[in-house]
């Protein structure tokens, strides 16, 4: 057969001498097609490198078996692990994923939603960009009846499904751990972007202080971009202001590494003089000196739970079900950086 750029079912039919409709039924495992014919069609399809057109299939059958995923960036262990969890769960059910990055750019997020709708995906899973404050593009998804699941960075302004960790409880637990280790002047690094996850972590930090009778000092709450340089700048700010802090709880692992770097420059002893805890359990936290305490967000589980929620939504009559919010437990991992009373806590 002459090689073509796009192989179709008509080429398979010509190759083995059957009709295109027989090939189509065989590829879709139709019960009226004999096992022998199915085997012959599948072997021929493989031999001539036939690839099904998922968009065409979606037009015919109403399902593309594609899930669109939007994350702010894929080069973070947290987000890549979520994608892994979604993909593994979806692949086991004969679904594929299309992965896009918003880079926290609102316009790119809007354009990506349009592209996924054009691709006729069966569902969309999203972690909101930091600069997303209006949601008309997601309203369009809901209006079309397409299952929509937000994970990690979510919003309550839409009647859409969510999978989150308990950011309040996780931050409370981290702050309580520092207090139990004898720290009393605990700074908090948060984002200048007022998105829900950071607000909840700030609330958990504040509540823990209140419950242990420690006054809240707004000067110890420092906002930044939550990256490495943000952590460095926030630490220099605390030092330059002469604020007597003895611990830092950061809502980001990247910012807490910046704090560690700045403190080591001036020979501050960790954890004897200053205790440190981050958030996310990025792989590098285990290998710093000293190793950094952090909150493990169980990213793979979050991805699997998000995917499971999608499949629950399309089960039965194939229509999205009522809104669901699933809150998962995170885990505080204590390492040397925050343990000055006892070195390790299982």
């Amino acid at each position: 057969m002459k090689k073509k750029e796009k192989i179709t079912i008509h080429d398979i039919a010509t190759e083995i001498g059957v009709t295109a409709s027989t090939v189509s039924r065989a590829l879709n495992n139709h019960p009226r097609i004999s096992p022998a014919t199915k085997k012959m069609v599948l072997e021929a399809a493989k031999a001539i490198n036939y690839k099904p057109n998922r968009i065409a299939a979606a037009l015919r059958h109403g399902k593309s078996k594609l899930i669109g995923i939007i994350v702010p960036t894929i080069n973070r262990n947290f987000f890549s692990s979520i994608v892994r969890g979604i993909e593994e769960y979806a692949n086991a059910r004969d679904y594929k994923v299309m992965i896009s990055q918003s880079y926290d750019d609102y316009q790119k997020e809007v354009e990506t939603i349009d592209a996924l709708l054009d691709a006729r995906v069966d569902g969309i899973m999203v972690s909101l960009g930091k600069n997303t404050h209006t949601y008309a593009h997601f309203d369009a998804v809901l209006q079309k009846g397409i299952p929509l699941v937000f994970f990690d960075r979510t919003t309550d302004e839409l009647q859409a499904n969510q999978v989150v960790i308990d950011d309040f409880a996780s931050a409370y637990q981290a702050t309580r751990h520092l207090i139990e280790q004898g720290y009393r002047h605990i700074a908090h690094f948060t984002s200048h972007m007022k998105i829900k996850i950071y607000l909840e972590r700030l609330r958990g930090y504040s509540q823990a202080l209140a419950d242990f009778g420690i006054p809240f000092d707004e000067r110890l709450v420092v906002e930044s971009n939550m990256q490495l340089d943000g952590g460095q700048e926030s630490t220099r700010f605390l030092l330059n202001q002469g604020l007597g802090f003895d611990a830092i709880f950061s809502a980001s692992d990247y910012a807490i590494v910046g704090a560690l770097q700045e403190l080591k420059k001036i020979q501050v002893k960790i954890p004897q003089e200053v205790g440190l805890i981050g958030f996310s359990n990025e792989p590098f936290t285990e290998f710093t000196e000293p190793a950094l305490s952090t909150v493990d967000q169980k990213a793979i589980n979050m991805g699997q739970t998000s995917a499971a929620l999608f499949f629950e939504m399309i089960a039965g009559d194939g229509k999205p079900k009522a809104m669901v919010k699933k809150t998962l437990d995170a885990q505080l991992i204590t390492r040397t950086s925050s343990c000055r009373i006892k070195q390790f806590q299982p």
Side-chain angles (χ1 to χ4, degrees):
M1 178 186 292
K2 182 180 179 180
K3 186 175 181 180
K4 296 171 61 177
E5 288 188 4
K6 181 65 178 177
I7 305 297
T8 70
I9 60 173
H10 296 282
D11 298 311
I12 300 173
T14 300
E15 183 78 3
I16 60 177
V18 299
T19 65
S21 61
T22 297
V23 172
S24 177
R25 291 190 183 100
L27 292 172
N28 287 285
N29 200 27
H30 195 285
R32 294 181 61 182
I33 303 299
S34 71
T37 300
K38 289 178 186 177
K39 183 174 184 291
M40 181 172 61
V41 168
L42 291 172
E43 289 176 349
K46 183 177 181 180
I48 64 175
N49 199 30
Y50 168 75
K51 304 292 183 184
N53 186 325
R54 287 184 175 270
I55 294 178
L59 290 170
R60 291 194 304 272
H61 307 300
K63 287 187 177 181
S64 65
K65 291 201 168 185
L66 289 173
I67 301 171
I69 304 173
I70 306 176
V71 293
T73 180
I74 202 68
N75 69 345
R76 294 285 189 272
N77 180 69
F78 174 64
F79 287 118
S80 62
S81 295
I82 289 177
V83 169
R84 174 185 166 186
I86 294 172
E87 187 169 26
E88 287 178 351
Y89 197 98
N91 287 174
R93 288 152 184 82
D94 197 29
Y95 268 71
K96 304 299 180 186
V97 300
M98 299 176 67
I99 304 163
S100 299
Q101 301 176 84
S102 69
Y103 301 104
D104 288 319
D105 183 311
Y106 172 77
Q107 189 56 43
K108 184 168 180 59
E109 188 178 87
V110 171
E111 293 169 358
T112 301
I113 288 291
D114 289 340
L116 292 175
L117 292 176
D118 287 344
R120 297 182 179 271
V121 295
D122 290 345
I124 297 176
M125 301 183 189
V126 188
S127 185
L128 290 170
K130 290 180 181 178
N131 296 301
T132 298
H133 305 295
T134 60
Y135 308 100
H137 50 310
F138 295 117
D139 270 325
V141 176
L142 295 172
Q143 290 298 319
K144 291 178 180 291
I146 296 173
L148 177 64
V149 179
F150 289 105
F151 57 85
D152 187 49
R153 300 182 191 173
T154 68
T155 177
D156 290 328
E157 294 188 29
L158 293 169
Q159 290 296 305
N161 297 278
Q162 302 180 28
V163 179
V164 297
I165 66 160
D166 193 332
D167 285 290
F168 170 84
S170 300
Y172 184 100
Q173 186 180 11
T175 308
R176 182 181 66 186
H177 165 71
L178 288 170
I179 295 169
E180 290 171 345
Q181 291 294 309
Y183 302 104
R184 291 295 180 269
H185 303 284
I186 304 168
H188 179 52
F189 289 177
T190 187
S191 174
H192 58 268
M193 299 291 187
K194 302 304 181 184
I195 61 177
K196 187 177 177 183
I197 58 172
Y198 295 121
L199 293 175
E200 284 297 289
R201 292 170 196 175
L202 173 59
R203 193 168 69 87
Y205 156 81
S206 303
Q207 189 61 55
L209 295 180
D211 287 352
F212 283 86
I214 299 174
F216 175 82
D217 186 347
E218 64 180 13
R219 298 174 302 167
L220 293 178
V221 177
V222 188
E223 298 179 352
S224 75
N225 62 10
M226 301 305 286
Q227 302 303 312
L228 181 71
D229 60 340
Q232 294 168 334
E233 292 167 6
S234 296
T235 305
R236 288 196 295 268
F237 170 81
L238 291 173
L239 294 168
N240 292 338
Q241 294 296 311
L243 298 173
F245 65 96
D246 61 4
I248 301 172
F249 164 49
S250 171
S252 158
D253 278 340
Y254 288 88
I256 205 65
V257 170
L260 175 63
Q261 291 177 339
E262 288 299 309
L263 293 171
K264 289 179 79 170
K265 285 180 184 178
I266 57 173
Q267 284 79 50
V268 172
K269 295 178 181 178
I270 311 295
Q272 293 89 344
E273 295 178 301
V274 175
L276 301 175
I277 296 184
F279 207 105
S280 195
N281 196 27
E282 293 286 342
F284 56 76
T285 57
E286 191 174 0
F287 303 107
T288 57
E289 179 53 47
L292 287 163
S293 297
T294 185
V295 175
D296 188 348
Q297 295 177 270
K298 305 292 185 182
I300 293 177
N301 183 39
M302 180 176 284
Q304 292 172 340
T305 302
S306 300
L309 182 53
F310 162 76
F311 284 101
E312 288 174 16
M313 293 169 68
I314 65 170
D317 60 10
K319 297 180 181 178
K321 304 298 187 289
M323 188 191 81
V324 174
K325 181 175 182 178
K326 296 195 174 184
T327 302
L328 309 177
D329 292 329
Q331 178 186 0
L332 175 64
I333 297 177
T334 57
R335 301 187 179 116
T336 306
S337 71
S338 67
C339 297
R340 68 178 179 186
I341 293 176
K342 48 187 177 180
Q343 287 301 304
F344 295 102
Q345 181 175 315

